[in-house]
Amino acid sequence: MPPRPLRSPLTVAVLGLLAERARHVYDMRTAMRERGHDRTLKIKNASFYDVLPRLSGAGLISEGETVRDGARPERTVHRITEAGAATLREWLRDLLDGPEDDTPGFTVALMFISALPKAEVIALLDHRAARMERHVAETGQALDAAVRDGRAPVSLADHAFPQALRRAELDWVRSFTAQLRDPATYWPGP
């Protein structure tokens, strides 16, 4: 069986959280729950204990001190390495500019976009929107041609529904990018 790819929504989230500050698993889970990330990613505690050794083995994170808070069990604090920070930025760029059909990847990238400079995020989203505009236009033309050729709309529903989702995503990307262009929009990143 081939090895699992290292990049996943959870590994991006872990690197994103550790880019903010050193954390132990309970702190990561708490931050995700407070931000609502747990609803999107649907992660179990055991998932962290699977991912952390893989990230550590790849040199993207390191283990720090072990801490104890009162009678609670000891917890190992993890830190992102320079290689991990560079990998996070690379993954975020790829996911923001990536394929339109990777909703979980795009969503997790949005959770941690402040790890990139604001101007770069705007450029990546502009590129994504331009590519999506072309795709929406081409698909729209193909659907219109199919209807003109006599295909019943019901037989095109499996193409029309994803087209509607792409249009909605395109509208959102345009609107969000316009908000980011506003100089008054706060940007916590680098």
Side-chain angles (χ1 to χ4, degrees):
M1 177 184 281
R4 288 179 299 179
L6 186 58
R7 188 177 85 188
S8 70
L10 179 57
T11 56
V12 174
V14 167
L15 289 179
L17 290 168
L18 293 177
E20 296 170 359
R21 71 170 195 260
R23 299 174 185 265
H24 50 71
V25 170
Y26 181 76
D27 186 25
M28 286 186 251
R29 289 285 300 169
T30 300
M32 292 178 80
R33 197 170 27 257
E34 288 172 353
R35 298 172 188 185
H37 296 172
D38 59 329
R39 289 190 301 274
T40 302
L41 298 176
K42 304 200 184 341
I43 298 166
K44 299 178 178 99
N45 274 340
S47 302
F48 283 96
Y49 296 104
D50 174 55
V51 160
L52 292 171
R54 291 174 43 219
L55 290 171
S56 181
L60 304 181
I61 65 170
S62 64
E63 289 186 2
E65 71 276 2
T66 301
V67 297
R68 181 185 296 265
D69 184 19
R72 296 178 191 256
E74 289 185 340
R75 297 180 174 142
T76 302
V77 175
H78 301 274
R79 288 178 168 61
I80 194 166
T81 63
E82 285 186 34
T87 298
L88 172 64
R89 290 188 299 273
E90 176 187 326
W91 287 353
L92 291 174
R93 288 178 187 112
D94 186 48
L95 291 167
L96 288 172
D97 192 32
E100 295 90 50
D101 60 353
D102 184 12
T103 301
F106 184 58
T107 303
V108 78
L110 291 172
M111 292 174 186
F112 299 101
I113 58 172
S114 63
L116 296 172
K118 184 178 178 181
E120 184 175 5
V121 170
I122 291 169
L124 290 166
L125 292 176
D126 280 343
H127 187 258
R128 181 183 189 91
R131 198 176 59 253
M132 290 178 74
E133 286 171 355
R134 286 190 300 274
H135 190 140
V136 164
E138 290 167 4
T139 303
Q141 290 169 356
L143 288 170
D144 291 346
V147 170
R148 280 193 307 276
D149 289 344
R151 294 232 4 228
V154 70
S155 70
L156 300 170
D158 58 326
H159 298 285
F161 177 67
Q163 174 74 344
L165 294 177
R166 278 190 296 275
R167 280 190 187 125
E169 181 179 337
L170 176 57
D171 289 345
W172 183 87
V173 168
R174 285 179 182 149
S175 172
F176 183 64
T177 306
Q179 289 175 344
L180 293 180
R181 280 192 171 84
D182 182 346
T185 300
Y186 170 73
W187 190 259

